[in-house]
Amino acid sequence: LAGLGVSPGDRVAVGWPTSVAFVSSYLGVLAAGAVAVPLNPASPAPELRGELERVRTAAVLGDARRSAALVEAAASLGLPVLDEVARGDDALEPVDRDDADAAVFLFTSGTAGEPRPAVLGHGNLRANLEQMLALPGEMARPDDVGFSAVPLSHVFGLNVALGLTLATGASLVLQERFDAGRSLELMAQESVTWLLGVPAMFAAWAELAGGAGGDGLARVRRAVSGAAALSPETAARFEERTGVPVWQGYGLTEASPAVATAAGTGRNRPGSVGRALPGVELRLVDEAGADVLVGDPGEIWVRGPNVFQGYFEDPGATAEVLDGDGWLHTGDVAVVGEDGDLFIVDRRKDLVIVSGFNVFPAEVEKVALAVPGVADAVVVGRPDPQTGEAVELVVVRGGDEAAVTEDQLRAACRASLARYKCPSTVRFVDRLPRGLTGKALRRALREDQPA
């Protein structure tokens, strides 16, 4: 990078898949004093071009032989994709950087709608690692062997899986594309003790545990789920089949990412994401910005040295989520119990407002998922001339009773929910669009709504 004329502060795209090459490139960019911009090489060329153009990339690192889209996007901007790591004759000293200097740009739709590059400084990333390592019970140890198939282009993979490994001197086994059976075999071969994944991975492991490769979980002392809500049913099934409890956490890109976790609290209550990490301030507030009472839902506000600097060259979007007192307005809604445990209710931006009444999609989805024959379900808002918005339930059939009908779903909702929360339309699809970490892409479902 130095030989290419890359200067401190320049943006360098890292388009490798989850691999050792990604790690080498990422650390090389930081050592050169540049800003790493992790990208998903599986994204379509127009999306990659937009991201490269948005941050005015100085160089692109990635696998030119396997990612035609990355090559096409880079070429359209006159940039080659550098796919070989060269070692110079003389080792260069890493460039000194301050806490306030940008380290990583991560594209996120997060709290501000359309994807924007969130600026995480060296101080933000390190602070969050120190906060996680300050938890009781040793989140990660030098003798740990971790496993992760979470993409390193996602903040959960980048600064939790990889970051904690580097911070403790532990080892990490990476799987480029998640394969439940193969991952269990890898865990057995490498004697994995620390497991990090997203809910869909834990569901797959629970199904295979005890079968081929099932002993891969035998040495696991800590399993952590993040990036999306883990259902109590999945957590219970995984622990029942493996004997390993799954600890949930809560975070977002703009917080580097970890905000709260059940790990270290001594309690692992179903559905709880625990408490705020040491050094992280957390409030639940109402529409007027006042703290809510225990048991009442409120938007999560976060403050601490892990909170990001803002969105790159977008002061308007930054001001929407980061106030003058340093509070990050996450857009996520939660309640806190009498014992201080935090429970995520839903994302505020995903609310469906029917005749002025708020409908949290998770409430309706929970009822739908309990109906036999429903494999997956997501709720989105549909424009309605009378009520402003109406609830649309999008369902994937599956299981032994895959002939589940619209009438059955409506009846289940009427039996459990207020009338305004019940779906006005039910749509059946073959599969739900999901992002890298398993979150349902509600925006894609809204755009795909029939006229």
Side-chain angles (χ1 to χ4, degrees), residues 250-283:
Y250 163 73
L252 64 165
T253 299
E254 291 89 344
S256 303
V259 169
T261 182
T265 63
R267 297 187 310 280
N268 197 6
R269 297 181 59 190
S272 171
V273 296
R275 298 183 177 185
L277 270 64
V280 173
E281 296 179 76
L282 189 148
R283 295 174 61 194

Side-chain angles (χ1 to χ4, degrees), residues 175-248:
Q175 188 176 36
E176 180 179 329
R177 292 186 181 86
F178 178 66
D179 179 289
R182 177 57 181 151
S183 68
L184 289 172
E185 294 172 2
L186 284 171
M187 284 186 254
Q189 291 169 13
E190 303 295 340
S191 300
V192 165
T193 62
W194 188 75
L195 181 61
L196 181 142
V198 300
M201 295 176 185
F202 284 100
W205 285 322
E207 291 302 315
L208 292 179
D215 62 345
L217 300 167
R219 298 176 181 83
V220 173
R221 70 173 186 87
R222 173 154 292 182
V224 178
S225 178
L230 177 71
S231 73
E233 293 78 15
T234 297
R237 181 166 177 77
F238 181 86
E239 184 170 1
E240 176 189 348
R241 297 291 299 273
T242 68
V244 180
V246 185
W247 300 89
Q248 268 202 92

Side-chain angles (χ1 to χ4, degrees), residues 12-28:
V12 176
V14 181
W16 286 98
T18 297
S19 60
V20 173
F22 180 105
V23 179
S24 298
S25 297
Y26 172 60
L27 295 179

Side-chain angles (χ1 to χ4, degrees), residues 269-274 300 333-337 339 341-346:
R269 297 181 59 190
S272 171
V273 296
I300 301 172
V333 180
V335 297
V336 65
D339 54 6
D341 285 339
L342 192 69
F343 295 83
I344 306 300
V345 177
D346 221 325

